[in-house]
Amino acid sequence: MSTFDTIPQTKQEMLVEILLRLADDRLILGHRLSEWAGHGPELEEDLALANVALDMIGHASALYEYAARLENKPDEDHYAYFRDDIDFKNIALVELPKGDFAFTIAREFLFSSFSYFLYKELIETVEDEQFNGMLQKHFKEIKYHLRHSREWVLRHGDGTEESNRRIQDAFDELWMYTGEMFEMDEMSRIAAQNNLYVDVSNWKQEWKELINSTLEEATLTVPDYNQYMFSGARHGRHTEHLGFLLAQMQFLRRSYPDAEWK
Amino acid sequence: MSDTSTQSTEWPLWEVFYQPSDGKPFEHAGSVHAPDSEMALQNARDTYARRNEGIAIWVVPSDQITASSPEDRGPFFDPANDKAYRHPQFYTVPRAVKKRK
């Protein structure tokens, strides 16, 4: 499976597509978070963000590895380093530039709250043992990402005037990129029928309640759920930011394909 | 130096203790900066508990710890030096016990 708008025919192709969608989201956001290394607001928070970044890249790596075995590709690096932006299936939310600390936290919160409900239901649904095992393992770390980001949302919201303004701006800016998380395209629907994905509308209300209660507790205004929503990144129509990210991430491996850690 | 200059930008310091496994006493791991106890726990987890070090963490505000001072060293610890009989080293340890170590 490559590029966009092709509907997988076999169950295995569907599984690969789902693995890549989950993995791409995590690799790209992990990379964005890794850009904080050495630039965190405090030493401890620098470490925390790097830990979350490593968790996400680790999740992506495991998912890619499984996909590589199913597709007979040499290894997980094939997906990370040798595909172009049009082939990446991540949502646009994760590829936006890293922004300030408030933006980073708001994005981590939106993404890990979504991941939390998604993984919870996938674990109940997915029959493929290996895939399910991975989900269960990663779910524990997702719970921590949610806790980390939620606590920081609260502290920004009822912190100072400046921190409140910054995190409110971040949510307002990120809002139009939340729609893609809940899109059920034809691929997702077919995969859900085959117990490889789930109907995300089942728990969208629960997700909204978590978002609403957190933002209210943080004395923030919840943006309008019915506003215009960005769409198309899962099918290769990305923002201009992804190309620059990939150029940086893939450069070394593409220029020196045989380079090794010594 | 006045207190306010450090208080205004730096988060308070917390001492971190972790328990290596069930039933073991907590051990001091180091310290972290954090604005409050929840963040101190999270920072402690991210700084000291990422490589299977333990199963539980305590964080304590550093300024809540009462410590002995260097001048106390004599009166506190010297009396122990010449009382070798307080050490359990005059027993032969049975071989079976040694083995289990």
Side-chain angles (χ1 to χ4, degrees), chain A residues 111-138:
Chain A
F111 183 76
S112 42
S113 55
F114 171 78
S115 299
Y116 172 82
F117 290 112
L118 177 64
Y119 273 55
K120 204 166 92 166
E121 186 144 335
L122 278 174
I123 288 166
E124 297 291 311
T125 310
V126 169
E127 290 157 357
D128 184 285
E129 257 178 50
Q130 184 156 4
F131 184 21
N132 202 309
M134 260 178 232
L135 294 166
Q136 290 183 41
K137 191 166 168 238
H138 301 167

Side-chain angles (χ1 to χ4, degrees), chain A residues 95-219:
Chain A
E95 72 199 34
L96 301 171
K98 86 180 203 293
D100 60 10
F101 183 53
F103 185 88
T104 298
I105 289 301
R107 167 160 62 184
E108 189 197 340
F109 176 60
L110 291 169
F111 183 76
S112 42
S113 55
F114 171 78
S115 299
Y116 172 82
F117 290 112
L118 177 64
Y119 273 55
K120 204 166 92 166
E121 186 144 335
L122 278 174
I123 288 166
E124 297 291 311
T125 310
V126 169
E127 290 157 357
D128 184 285
E129 257 178 50
Q130 184 156 4
F131 184 21
N132 202 309
M134 260 178 232
L135 294 166
Q136 290 183 41
K137 191 166 168 238
H138 301 167
F139 186 54
K140 290 179 202 160
E141 294 180 338
I142 289 170
K143 282 189 198 163
Y144 183 73
H145 303 163
L146 179 56
R147 176 170 168 177
H148 171 256
S149 55
R150 187 176 177 279
E151 292 295 337
W152 268 121
V153 168
L154 298 179
R155 280 157 184 77
H156 274 88
D158 65 6
T160 64
E161 211 174 291
E162 185 187 359
S163 68
N164 178 289
R165 175 178 53 77
R166 281 181 185 246
I167 196 114
Q168 183 69 58
D169 287 352
F171 278 113
D172 293 345
E173 197 182 329
L174 284 161
W175 210 249
M176 69 181 255
Y177 298 99
T178 56
E180 279 189 317
M181 298 192 291
F182 290 97
E183 259 174 32
M184 286 296 288
D185 60 358
E186 199 179 343
M187 162 64 215
S188 322
R189 282 197 302 274
I190 297 175
Q193 285 163 13
N194 284 279
N195 290 337
L196 291 167
Y197 197 63
V198 290
D199 184 353
V200 291
S201 58
N202 287 346
W203 40 265
K204 188 173 182 182
Q205 195 51 40
E206 268 183 276
W207 176 80
K208 277 186 184 176
E209 279 160 20
L210 174 63
I211 299 294
N212 293 348
S213 63
T214 305
L215 266 61
E216 274 158 31
E217 196 181 333
T219 68

Side-chain angles (χ1 to χ4, degrees), chain A residues 28 31-32 35 95 241-250:
Chain A
I28 302 300
H31 184 85
R32 279 290 182 228
E35 292 174 354
E95 72 199 34
H241 307 296
L242 182 64
F244 291 101
L245 182 152
L246 294 179
Q248 195 181 43
M249 188 180 82
Q250 296 178 334

Side-chain angles (χ1 to χ4, degrees), chain A residues 210-234:
Chain A
L210 174 63
I211 299 294
N212 293 348
S213 63
T214 305
L215 266 61
E216 274 158 31
E217 196 181 333
T219 68
L220 296 168
T221 311
V222 181
D224 181 6
Y225 287 101
N226 297 316
Q227 71 166 73
Y228 164 76
M229 290 290 171
F230 182 93
S231 175
R234 283 246 190 270

